Every structure is written in C-alpha cells, then in structure tokens.
Amino acid sequence: MKTVLWSLFLLASPILQVSGDVFLRWCVTNRAEETKCQAFEVAVAMLKVDGTYTGNVVPSCVKGVDSYECMRLIQSGDADVMALDTGQGYFAGHQHNMMPFLAETYRSQSLHYYSVAVIRSNDLSLTINNLRGKKVCFPGIGMGAGWVYPMGLMLEANMIPIQECNAVVKSVTNFFGDMCLPGALSSFYNPFGNNPTSICKLCTGVLEERCSTSDPYAGYDGAFNCLKSGQGDVAFLRHDTVEMMLANSTEQLQDYSLLCQDGSRRSLGQYDQCNFGKIISNMVMTSSLKQDAEVTAYKTFLLQAASWFGPNGQYSSRFRMFSSLDWDYFGRRDLMFSDVTEGLIDVGVNNTYYKWVDPEFYRKVSSLNYCPLNWARWCVISKDEKSKCQTMLMAFEAKDLRPRLDCILGSSTDNCMSMIANGDADLMNLDPGDVYTAGRKYGLKPIASEDYGNMNSSFYVVAVARKRDHYMTLFNLKKKRACLPGIGRGDGWIVPVNIFIETEQFLPQHCTIFENLGQLFVRSCIPGAVDKLYNPTQKPISLVEGCASGGAKKGRRNSDDYYYGATGAFRCLVEKGGDIAFVRHLTVRDNTDSRNRAIWARNRRADDYELMCKDGSRTQIDNWRNCHLGKVPANAVVTAQYKSEEEKHIYWQLMNYGQQFFSSDM
C-alpha cells in the first residue's frame, strides 16, 4: 500500500517544481535501491508540501545497470550523485572524473572502518596461510575493505603469486577456488574478455545482474550472505558488516571469526588487532565538472536531509536515510548509504579522490598493480617521436598499466639499437629493413609486429604517381624526381632499389648505388642517404635535395625531415617535391579524402593518384594486390636477445593492454 501511495505522490510531484530548481539525480544500481530512492523523493516532497523544506533542490532517481554504468552516467551528465565505497570512489575519480563532496560518519563520529577476513567459527582448520583453493565471497572488485586492502596485502606479502602484470584478477583466481567477484567482468577489469569463469561461480544473479555490482551477492551485505549460505569459505568484509547483518537474527556474533595476518584467529570484537588495514569512510560523489554553486546546493540539501532523516532526525519516522531495515527492500542492505552510517560531513578541501584517501591506500593500490619489471624504456629517434611516446606514457599511467613506460631519446636508429643491446633502453619499433640490421648487427629480437588489418603481419610496397603525369611508367624514370621513405628501410630502399635494377634503370656493378641513383634521378628525397653510417662518401647531395626540412634537419633519417617515412614520401609527392613516391599500399588512402587532417593533406583526393605496375601499366590505387613491387614483413618491436622469456612476455602484455585501451580501431 505504501508503494502505491508513493507512486501516486511522485506522479503529482512535478507540479511542485519551479524555475530555478536544482535537480539532484541519484544513481541507483538495483530495484531495491531504486525503491528506497523513490521513498526519499516522496519524503522530501512531503516536507516541501507542508512548508518544512523551502529549498530548491529536487531529488530524483536514475537507474544504472551497475556502479560502473552509474559512474559513466554521472560523467556524461545523465545523472548527478551517488555514494561509493572508498575503493570504488578512487576508481570513479581516477577513471570518470568524479569528486567527493560529502563523507559518511560512523559510530562515535568515526571516519574509518577496518578491512577483515571473516569465516564461520566451526571451520576450525582455516587460517590466512591455507586459503589456496578456498571458495571466496568478495563484495566487489575495487572495493576498499573487500578487495584493495586484503588483496593488496596478500600480493605484497607474496601470499598470492603474480601470474601476469596488469591482470590481478588472473592472479587471484589462480590462487583461490570458486568465488563471487562482482564487477570483474566489466571492461576495465576484463579488457580481453578472458577472465576465468570461476570469478562468477558463486554469484546468484540472473541475466545482466549476474556477477555485476547488482548481483544479490554483491556489496558487503551480499558477500556476508554468500558466506552465511555456505557457498563460500571466507568473505572479505568491513569490520562492522557482520554485526549489522546479524541484527534481529537468531545467529550470534561468536558464530563467526576473523583471520589475522599472523596466522591466528580472533573474535569479531578484536577487529582492531586482526585486520588488513584502516580505511577512510565512504564518499558521496558527483562530477568534478559541476559548478561550485551546484555542488554547494547538493551539499546543503543532503546535510539537511541527514538531520531530518538520520538516526535521531525529526522526521526519521517517515524515512530512515541510513537504514534499509524498516522497508521492504528485497532483503538488501547498504542502499544508497552504508546502513551503519550515522551522519554526513563536508569533506572540505579534501574534495578530490586523491586527497580524501590516505598514503596507505595508494600503497595497497600499487601492490595490486605490482609487476616484476618496474620500467619499460622505449627508445625514440626524434623530438616528435618522443612527444608521442610521452603522450602514450601518460595514457598508460592513467590506466595504471605496468611496467611504467619511459621514453629515451637516441640520436639515430642505430644509436637506439646500440642502447638496447647495451641495456640502456628496452624497446623500439623498427621498419623491416631496420629489423634485419638490428638482428644482424646487435642481435636484437622482434617480440611483436604491427598488423594492418590483414592479420598476416605484412604490407605491399607500391609506386605512386600523379594521375595527370600519365606518360610516366616504371621504365622511364630517367631524370625524374623521386620520393623514398628512407635509406635502409624495407619500403623506402630495399624494394625500390631492387626494382630499379630489375627494370635495368641502372647497372650497379660499375659504381656505387648512391651514384647510380644520383644519375637516375635529377633530384630525390631519400632521408639518410648522405648519412655517413649508410653512405661514407655523403655524395651525391642530390639524393636529399628534394627533402623539405631546412638546415641540419634536412634529409635526416627521422621525423625531423617532413618527408621521412611512407607518409612523408607521399607528402613529398603531394607537395610536388617529386614525380614518383615509393610507399605502402595503404598510404594513399590513409592520407586522402579527409582521413588525414594535416594541412598538407587537406582537399587531397585518392583518385588523383595512380599505381605504377612492374609490367609498365598503371592502375587505380586500390588495385595494389595486382600492382605492387613486393611484399614486406610488418614493422616490429624489438628488444635485446639477453632478455628472459618472462621479460619479453611482460613487454608484450604491456603493449597488448595498451592497444586494447588505445588502438585507433577500438
């Protein structure tokens, strides 16, 4: 009957809204929480009607599938507020740009609670030292007392061996037996979709609720029920969860015990001597993009609501803000707020997630991300490449990917190869021609290759000319101008030079190839062609006269020269620095028809260019399967040969996680 009356009242409540109202949309994650939220709406509306409440904040409820969807809704502006466990609050701030503005207070105005491991007292054999293979009830992945502190400590103490960097769930599931770990299937914690099925074995939800933060066994109340039902052997909870759940129950506190770090067991009342750590209280959070006036309005309203509907509030008989007992909430607890909450306080200047939590919390989070390797040092060869590397570094750090990335600037490709071989750097990405050199000269080994959509780690080298230069073929290049990606490269040197020889554009036995090319082309841009490392005579100078950069940057074998690389060679053709460009089969498409926003590529059409074939014909640029100069292995990331298989696997996993989060086709 109450629910029907609330629903009727809510239908009428919009007439109470006036211009200037501030709407507070509370995000809930299950039907039980939605019911309580709607009761809160009604209670506030009734105070508005009788004149007790004269403010302009109007509460309403928005339902998300789980906590993570609520975070996304708040970030996108489709919801405003939610209360979060400390661990989840850290995630919300770190990943969804949310900020705390109020915090829960507990008994005796405490702002802390403890993380504990709870077992049934009659399970006499169980200690912290023999949990391998045991069935576990977690309140949810990322939660402070139920995940961050206990798992952080067990990983830190090497009780749980690290299976794989950036995959703490796999390490935990490999250690324990069946479990219910709500939220572990979310995309952030399961980027490859391959977390073991054992993480959800004990969960009881159906359809989209199963193993989510809306599962019946989610939350501290759900994890306790999982233990109480006999499904799990141990539950990781707050110290006050069991007492809360046993209120009005026939079970006694002595039916449950705590597991201590020293291997002993203690009673529930000794939580201050037997715990995994002391955690700052839960937070009420909103988007950090909210205006100060709006956040202040939320804060004032909720503090007033706590005084009305709190444990000793004047209107607590109408609605109990911090209790789930007096209402038919489907047996769930901790709805909207923790049921042990006694009030709310302003967080004041600690209004960011990183200010609210303490250094110990960060240490535990760091333990969750522990990786045997601390750093992956990526060697780059130009300032532009270093700038991109640093952007990648910051992106990886935002996702807490380990090992940490560092960017090392080398003076040249060869210098980077030498640094890796000598242990001063770890990784670099190389063209196939350079991969060959790196292996032959420095013993470097490829550990990952680029994929261009064909899943065979290769690309085709093509010759491109302007369509209007219809007289040109591969057989009449004498006195033309050429754009090549760079000396020593597979696409920019090895294949093109072989074509010149095959088509008898020159005969190399009488002089050096550099002289041959200088005689064949009136002018060229071949970055690196006058570098002493590749061409000791540094002649003829015409090999770099067509390059775009000025001064010392002109003709350098890196991005300091605008015409370096396959894209640079095509730019050389576009800007009329040459008559023919030797590039990769996708280069033209990637830089025409508005796919590249750079000024030089604007208003460029793919059909203004054609491919030149080895039989002397020409064709449109998408016919590269039938008109190419050769097939070349893809670029590859290399490392030193002395690296162990474990180290190579860690580097690969770092790149693999990086591409899952940040690749352009995701």
Side-chain angles (χ1 to χ4, degrees):
M1 186 64 183
K2 272 186 176 181
T3 304
V4 173
L5 290 174
W6 292 340
S7 301
L8 291 172
F9 197 95
L10 284 169
L11 289 172
S13 63
I15 64 174
L16 301 174
Q17 298 169 7
V18 296
S19 61
D21 281 345
V22 176
F23 297 96
L24 186 156
R25 296 164 296 175
W26 194 284
C27 198
V28 299
T29 60
N30 55 58
R31 183 71 185 95
E33 198 167 43
E34 186 178 35
T35 304
K36 180 176 180 180
C37 182
Q38 289 171 346
F40 180 54
E41 281 187 74
V42 172
V44 173
M46 290 176 68
L47 292 182
K48 188 87 169 178
V49 169
D50 64 23
T52 302
Y53 175 50
T54 58
N56 65 340
V57 175
V58 179
S60 61
C61 310
V62 174
K63 188 170 183 294
V65 173
D66 57 23
S67 297
Y68 301 107
E69 186 184 17
C70 275
M71 294 174 198
R72 290 191 290 270
L73 289 171
I74 291 173
Q75 184 180 27
S76 63
D78 297 312
D80 301 309
V81 171
M82 69 186 299
L84 285 167
D85 166 271
T86 309
Q88 290 180 322
Y90 172 84
F91 179 90
H94 196 47
Q95 300 295 332
H96 295 283
N97 204 23
M98 291 172 62
M99 57 174 277
F101 62 96
L102 292 174
E104 296 176 348
T105 62
Y106 310 119
R107 187 178 299 168
S108 303
Q109 294 298 300
S110 171
L111 285 174
H112 296 86
Y113 54 87
Y114 291 89
S115 168
V116 295
V118 180
I119 60 168
R120 292 181 294 276
S121 295
N122 60 8
D123 194 346
L124 301 177
S125 64
L126 207 55
T127 72
I128 196 71
N129 297 320
N130 62 359
L131 289 180
R132 180 180 286 276
K134 301 302 181 185
K135 294 181 291 184
V136 186
C137 303
F138 289 103
I141 194 167
M143 296 184 75
W147 177 261
V148 175
Y149 271 64
M151 295 304 100
L153 187 143
M154 294 181 75
L155 287 161
E156 192 177 72
N158 204 31
M159 293 181 190
I160 299 177
I162 298 293
Q163 296 298 306
E164 190 175 288
C165 297
N166 306 306
V168 63
V169 173
K170 289 185 179 179
S171 298
V172 171
T173 52
N174 188 68
F175 181 79
F176 292 115
D178 294 340
M179 63 182 68
C180 181
L181 180 54
L185 295 180
S186 63
S187 59
F188 182 84
Y189 293 104
N190 190 26
F192 302 125
N194 63 350
N195 276 348
T197 56
S198 61
I199 60 175
C200 301
K201 197 72 174 289
L202 304 185
C203 298
T204 59
V206 295
L207 302 176
E208 63 184 11
E209 281 192 349
R210 181 170 175 78
C211 210
S212 75
T213 57
S214 299
D215 191 279
Y217 281 172
Y220 294 106
D221 60 323
F224 175 76
N225 285 332
C226 169
L227 175 68
K228 180 182 177 183
S229 69
Q231 291 290 313
D233 299 313
V234 61
F236 293 99
L237 307 171
R238 290 171 49 145
H239 77 275
D240 47 21
T241 301
V242 180
E243 182 180 356
M244 174 189 74
M245 295 300 293
L246 293 186
N248 303 319
S249 170
T250 57
E251 284 194 285
Q252 303 296 315
L253 290 178
Q254 55 262 34
D255 293 336
Y256 296 90
S257 299
L258 302 179
L259 298 182
C260 307
Q261 293 184 45
D262 62 5
S264 65
R265 296 155 56 119
R266 299 207 180 189
S267 67
L268 294 177
Q270 294 177 292
Y271 61 83
D272 58 335
Q273 304 166 48
C274 179
N275 60 73
F276 292 102
K278 190 176 182 181
I279 306 170
I280 194 74
S281 64
N282 294 355
M283 303 169 271
V284 182
M285 303 187 75
T286 187
S287 169
S288 62
L289 300 179
K290 293 284 186 184
Q291 297 292 324
D292 289 345
E294 200 169 3
V295 176
T296 300
Y298 294 160
K299 189 182 300 183
T300 303
F301 168 72
L302 289 173
L303 288 172
Q304 180 66 72
S307 70
W308 286 330
F309 306 122
N312 301 309
Q314 183 180 356
Y315 301 102
S316 58
S317 59
R318 299 185 185 181
F319 175 76
R320 293 185 184 273
M321 190 166 175
F322 306 125
S323 174
S324 307
L325 277 177
D326 298 340
W327 311 87
D328 184 16
Y329 293 143
F330 312 94
R332 295 303 304 267
R333 304 293 295 273
D334 292 335
L335 304 176
M336 296 180 68
F337 301 94
S338 304
D339 277 11
V340 294
T341 303
E342 295 197 352
L344 299 174
I345 64 161
D346 186 348
V347 300
V349 296
N350 297 315
N351 60 347
T352 58
Y353 72 92
Y354 51 85
K355 288 182 181 177
W356 183 246
V357 298
D358 56 26
E360 182 62 19
F361 184 92
Y362 286 110
R363 197 168 73 83
K364 290 294 189 294
V365 169
S366 179
S367 297
L368 288 175
N369 295 329
Y370 174 75
C371 182
L373 284 182
N374 292 324
W375 296 96
R377 299 164 298 175
W378 197 287
C379 199
V380 296
I381 59 173
S382 69
K383 290 182 179 179
D384 288 340
E385 196 174 8
K386 186 174 183 180
S387 177
K388 181 177 180 180
C389 180
Q390 289 172 331
T391 301
M392 184 167 75
L393 181 158
M394 290 186 286
F396 281 22
E397 191 65 29
K399 293 293 185 182
D400 287 326
L401 296 182
R402 296 293 183 270
R404 283 190 164 95
L405 194 64
D406 193 15
C407 304
I408 308 294
L409 181 62
S411 59
S412 66
T413 302
D414 188 79
N415 177 239
C416 272
M417 295 176 189
S418 174
M419 290 174 70
I420 293 173
N422 293 330
D424 297 319
D426 301 310
L427 303 164
M428 73 179 301
N429 190 34
L430 292 174
D431 166 89
D434 288 331
V435 172
Y436 172 78
T437 303
R440 184 177 180 183
K441 188 174 180 181
Y442 295 104
L444 305 190
K445 302 289 185 181
I447 59 171
S449 68
E450 295 180 351
D451 174 64
Y452 310 113
N454 53 11
M455 300 303 291
N456 63 8
S457 299
S458 64
F459 61 87
Y460 293 95
V461 178
V462 295
V464 182
R466 289 179 287 271
K467 182 183 287 186
R468 66 171 179 265
D469 297 336
H470 53 84
Y471 58 86
M472 277 186 60
T473 73
L474 281 180
F475 295 98
N476 62 356
L477 298 179
K478 186 74 171 177
K479 299 304 179 184
K480 301 297 188 299
R481 299 170 302 157
C483 304
L484 281 72
I487 191 168
R489 290 173 55 109
D491 54 1
W493 181 256
I494 298 170
V495 171
V497 168
N498 273 280
I499 291 299
F500 302 150
I501 296 172
E502 282 182 25
T503 54
E504 297 185 356
Q505 302 286 313
F506 57 73
L507 299 175
Q509 61 262 40
H510 298 300
C511 52
T512 73
I513 286 180
F514 299 104
E515 291 176 359
N516 291 145
L517 288 172
Q519 293 167 4
L520 175 61
F521 298 113
V522 66
R523 191 175 68 174
S524 307
C525 179
I526 311 174
V530 294
D531 187 322
K532 278 188 177 181
L533 182 67
Y534 301 95
N535 179 8
T537 67
Q538 296 184 284
K539 295 179 181 179
I541 197 65
S542 64
L543 297 180
V544 296
E545 280 183 338
C547 296
S549 297
K553 294 182 178 181
K554 190 178 185 70
R556 291 195 65 178
R557 196 181 182 272
N558 61 33
S559 60
D560 285 348
D561 193 285
Y562 300 138
Y563 293 167
Y564 172 71
T567 297
F570 180 64
R571 179 180 179 179
C572 170
L573 177 67
V574 166
E575 295 181 338
K576 298 182 176 60
D579 303 309
I580 181 174
F582 295 89
V583 297
R584 302 185 179 201
H585 67 279
L586 296 177
T587 302
V588 178
R589 277 290 178 200
D590 286 344
N591 293 281
T592 55
D593 302 328
S594 301
R595 291 182 181 85
N596 184 343
R597 297 181 182 179
I599 294 175
W600 68 266
R602 292 178 186 174
N603 303 318
R604 303 297 172 185
R605 294 174 43 167
D607 58 7
D608 285 337
Y609 302 92
E610 288 184 331
L611 304 182
M612 296 195 292
C613 309
K614 289 197 285 187
D615 62 2
S617 64
R618 295 168 59 127
T619 186
Q620 52 92 15
I621 60 113
D622 291 322
N623 192 27
W624 43 265
R625 290 187 187 279
N626 301 312
C627 180
H628 61 263
L629 310 183
K631 189 176 182 180
V632 178
N635 286 15
V637 178
V638 299
T639 191
Q641 64 177 347
Y642 59 79
K643 298 287 185 181
S644 69
E645 290 303 313
E646 181 187 17
E647 288 174 308
K648 292 175 185 176
H649 181 70
I650 289 172
Y651 293 142
W652 158 242
Q653 283 298 111
L654 175 66
M655 291 181 282
N656 201 12
Y657 275 91
Q659 73 176 346
Q660 289 298 316
F661 288 122
F662 303 112
S663 65
S664 58
D665 61 345
M666 292 299 288

